[in-house]
Short mmCIF file of all heavy atoms in Angstrom, two decimals:
data_model
loop_
_atom_site.label_atom_id
_atom_site.label_comp_id
_atom_site.label_asym_id
_atom_site.label_seq_id
_atom_site.Cartn_x
_atom_site.Cartn_y
_atom_site.Cartn_z
N LYS V 1 123.09 170.89 101.14
CA LYS V 1 122.36 172.07 100.68
C LYS V 1 122.71 172.45 99.24
O LYS V 1 121.85 172.92 98.50
CB LYS V 1 122.67 173.26 101.60
CG LYS V 1 122.36 173.02 103.07
CD LYS V 1 120.91 172.69 103.31
CE LYS V 1 120.62 172.51 104.80
NZ LYS V 1 119.22 172.10 105.04
N ASN V 2 123.96 172.25 98.86
CA ASN V 2 124.42 172.66 97.54
C ASN V 2 124.57 171.43 96.65
O ASN V 2 125.60 170.76 96.65
CB ASN V 2 125.75 173.41 97.64
CG ASN V 2 125.63 174.70 98.41
OD1 ASN V 2 124.64 175.42 98.30
ND2 ASN V 2 126.62 175.00 99.23
N VAL V 3 123.52 171.13 95.89
CA VAL V 3 123.50 169.95 95.04
C VAL V 3 123.07 170.36 93.64
O VAL V 3 122.01 170.96 93.46
CB VAL V 3 122.53 168.88 95.58
CG1 VAL V 3 122.60 167.62 94.71
CG2 VAL V 3 122.82 168.55 97.03
N ALA V 4 123.90 170.05 92.66
CA ALA V 4 123.57 170.32 91.25
C ALA V 4 123.12 169.00 90.62
O ALA V 4 123.95 168.13 90.32
CB ALA V 4 124.77 170.89 90.52
N GLU V 5 121.82 168.85 90.45
CA GLU V 5 121.26 167.63 89.86
C GLU V 5 121.16 167.86 88.36
O GLU V 5 120.14 168.33 87.85
CB GLU V 5 119.89 167.33 90.47
CG GLU V 5 119.97 167.05 91.97
CD GLU V 5 118.61 167.02 92.66
OE1 GLU V 5 117.75 167.86 92.33
OE2 GLU V 5 118.43 166.17 93.56
N ILE V 6 122.23 167.53 87.64
CA ILE V 6 122.34 167.98 86.25
C ILE V 6 121.36 167.28 85.31
O ILE V 6 121.11 167.78 84.21
CB ILE V 6 123.78 167.85 85.72
CG1 ILE V 6 124.26 166.39 85.74
CG2 ILE V 6 124.72 168.74 86.51
CD1 ILE V 6 125.61 166.20 85.06
N GLN V 7 120.81 166.14 85.71
CA GLN V 7 119.76 165.50 84.92
C GLN V 7 118.38 165.74 85.53
O GLN V 7 117.42 165.06 85.19
CB GLN V 7 120.01 163.99 84.80
CG GLN V 7 121.13 163.63 83.84
CD GLN V 7 121.25 162.13 83.66
OE1 GLN V 7 122.12 161.49 84.23
NE2 GLN V 7 120.36 161.57 82.87
N GLY V 8 118.30 166.73 86.41
CA GLY V 8 117.06 166.96 87.11
C GLY V 8 116.87 165.89 88.17
O GLY V 8 117.75 165.09 88.44
N SER V 9 115.68 165.86 88.77
CA SER V 9 115.41 164.85 89.78
C SER V 9 113.91 164.83 90.05
O SER V 9 113.14 165.57 89.44
CB SER V 9 116.16 165.18 91.09
OG SER V 9 115.53 166.26 91.76
N LEU V 10 113.53 163.99 91.01
CA LEU V 10 112.12 163.93 91.40
C LEU V 10 111.73 165.08 92.30
O LEU V 10 110.64 165.11 92.84
CB LEU V 10 111.83 162.59 92.08
CG LEU V 10 112.01 161.37 91.17
CD1 LEU V 10 111.75 160.09 91.94
CD2 LEU V 10 111.09 161.45 89.96
N GLN V 11 112.63 166.07 92.43
CA GLN V 11 112.29 167.32 93.11
C GLN V 11 111.80 168.38 92.13
O GLN V 11 111.28 169.40 92.54
CB GLN V 11 113.52 167.88 93.85
CG GLN V 11 114.07 166.98 94.92
CD GLN V 11 115.12 167.67 95.76
OE1 GLN V 11 114.79 168.31 96.76
NE2 GLN V 11 116.37 167.55 95.37
N ILE V 12 112.02 168.13 90.84
CA ILE V 12 111.66 169.09 89.80
C ILE V 12 110.52 168.48 88.99
O ILE V 12 110.71 167.57 88.19
CB ILE V 12 112.86 169.40 88.88
CG1 ILE V 12 114.05 169.87 89.73
CG2 ILE V 12 112.49 170.44 87.83
CD1 ILE V 12 115.36 169.94 88.96
N ASN V 13 109.32 168.99 89.19
CA ASN V 13 108.13 168.39 88.60
C ASN V 13 107.30 169.44 87.87
O ASN V 13 107.24 170.59 88.30
CB ASN V 13 107.29 167.72 89.68
CG ASN V 13 108.12 166.81 90.56
OD1 ASN V 13 108.68 165.83 90.10
ND2 ASN V 13 108.23 167.14 91.84
N CYS V 14 106.65 169.02 86.81
CA CYS V 14 105.95 169.98 85.96
C CYS V 14 104.65 169.38 85.44
O CYS V 14 104.59 168.19 85.11
CB CYS V 14 106.86 170.36 84.79
SG CYS V 14 106.18 171.59 83.67
N CYS V 15 103.62 170.20 85.36
CA CYS V 15 102.36 169.77 84.74
C CYS V 15 102.56 169.63 83.24
O CYS V 15 103.03 170.56 82.57
CB CYS V 15 101.25 170.78 85.03
SG CYS V 15 99.70 170.42 84.15
N ALA V 16 102.23 168.46 82.72
CA ALA V 16 102.41 168.22 81.29
C ALA V 16 101.45 169.05 80.44
O ALA V 16 101.68 169.23 79.24
CB ALA V 16 102.20 166.73 81.00
N LYS V 17 100.40 169.61 81.05
CA LYS V 17 99.39 170.35 80.30
C LYS V 17 99.64 171.86 80.31
O LYS V 17 99.70 172.50 79.27
CB LYS V 17 98.00 170.05 80.85
CG LYS V 17 96.86 170.68 80.07
CD LYS V 17 95.51 170.22 80.64
CE LYS V 17 94.34 170.85 79.88
NZ LYS V 17 93.03 170.41 80.45
N CYS V 18 99.83 172.43 81.50
CA CYS V 18 99.95 173.89 81.59
C CYS V 18 101.36 174.37 81.95
O CYS V 18 101.63 175.57 81.91
CB CYS V 18 98.94 174.47 82.57
SG CYS V 18 99.30 174.12 84.32
N GLY V 19 102.24 173.44 82.35
CA GLY V 19 103.62 173.81 82.65
C GLY V 19 103.87 174.30 84.06
O GLY V 19 104.99 174.68 84.38
N ARG V 20 102.86 174.29 84.91
CA ARG V 20 103.06 174.74 86.29
C ARG V 20 104.01 173.79 87.01
O ARG V 20 103.92 172.57 86.88
CB ARG V 20 101.72 174.78 87.02
CG ARG V 20 101.82 175.21 88.48
CD ARG V 20 100.45 175.40 89.10
NE ARG V 20 100.53 175.73 90.51
CZ ARG V 20 99.48 176.03 91.28
NH1 ARG V 20 98.26 176.02 90.76
NH2 ARG V 20 99.65 176.32 92.56
N HIS V 21 104.94 174.37 87.79
CA HIS V 21 105.92 173.56 88.51
C HIS V 21 105.44 173.19 89.91
O HIS V 21 104.78 173.97 90.59
CB HIS V 21 107.26 174.32 88.61
CG HIS V 21 108.19 173.99 87.49
ND1 HIS V 21 109.20 173.08 87.60
CD2 HIS V 21 108.23 174.44 86.20
CE1 HIS V 21 109.85 172.98 86.44
NE2 HIS V 21 109.28 173.80 85.58
N TYR V 22 105.79 171.97 90.31
CA TYR V 22 105.52 171.47 91.65
C TYR V 22 106.84 170.89 92.17
O TYR V 22 107.13 169.71 91.99
CB TYR V 22 104.44 170.39 91.61
CG TYR V 22 103.07 170.91 91.26
CD1 TYR V 22 102.67 171.08 89.93
CD2 TYR V 22 102.16 171.25 92.26
CE1 TYR V 22 101.42 171.58 89.61
CE2 TYR V 22 100.90 171.74 91.95
CZ TYR V 22 100.54 171.91 90.62
OH TYR V 22 99.29 172.40 90.31
N ASP V 23 107.66 171.72 92.77
CA ASP V 23 108.98 171.29 93.19
C ASP V 23 108.92 170.63 94.57
O ASP V 23 108.15 171.04 95.44
CB ASP V 23 109.96 172.46 93.20
CG ASP V 23 110.23 172.98 91.78
OD1 ASP V 23 110.02 172.20 90.84
OD2 ASP V 23 110.64 174.14 91.63
N GLY V 24 109.75 169.61 94.76
CA GLY V 24 109.77 168.84 96.00
C GLY V 24 109.39 167.40 95.72
O GLY V 24 108.45 167.13 94.97
N TYR V 25 110.11 166.46 96.33
CA TYR V 25 109.88 165.04 96.06
C TYR V 25 108.68 164.46 96.80
O TYR V 25 108.19 163.38 96.48
CB TYR V 25 111.13 164.23 96.42
CG TYR V 25 111.58 164.36 97.85
CD1 TYR V 25 111.02 163.58 98.86
CD2 TYR V 25 112.57 165.28 98.21
CE1 TYR V 25 111.43 163.71 100.17
CE2 TYR V 25 112.99 165.42 99.52
CZ TYR V 25 112.42 164.63 100.50
OH TYR V 25 112.82 164.77 101.81
N GLU V 26 108.17 165.17 97.82
CA GLU V 26 107.07 164.64 98.62
C GLU V 26 105.81 164.38 97.81
O GLU V 26 104.95 163.58 98.19
CB GLU V 26 106.74 165.61 99.77
CG GLU V 26 107.86 165.79 100.78
CD GLU V 26 108.04 164.58 101.67
OE1 GLU V 26 107.13 163.72 101.70
OE2 GLU V 26 109.08 164.47 102.33
N ILE V 27 105.69 165.05 96.66
CA ILE V 27 104.49 164.90 95.84
C ILE V 27 104.31 163.46 95.35
O ILE V 27 103.20 163.03 95.02
CB ILE V 27 104.54 165.88 94.64
CG1 ILE V 27 103.17 165.99 93.98
CG2 ILE V 27 105.59 165.45 93.63
CD1 ILE V 27 103.10 167.06 92.92
#
């Protein structure tokens, strides 16, 4: 549960155009 992904991960996702976040690796 407590994980610090200091380089980010495939759970942290962002639209390159508007910046909206889509968190979670299932995407």
Side-chain angles (χ1 to χ4, degrees):
K1 304 301 182 184
N2 297 321
V3 184
E5 297 169 320
I6 61 173
Q7 286 186 258
S9 75
L10 296 178
Q11 299 190 88
I12 305 168
N13 310 297
C14 182
C15 173
K17 185 176 180 180
C18 72
R20 179 173 176 175
H21 267 262
Y22 291 85
D23 293 338
Y25 58 84
E26 296 287 345
I27 194 172

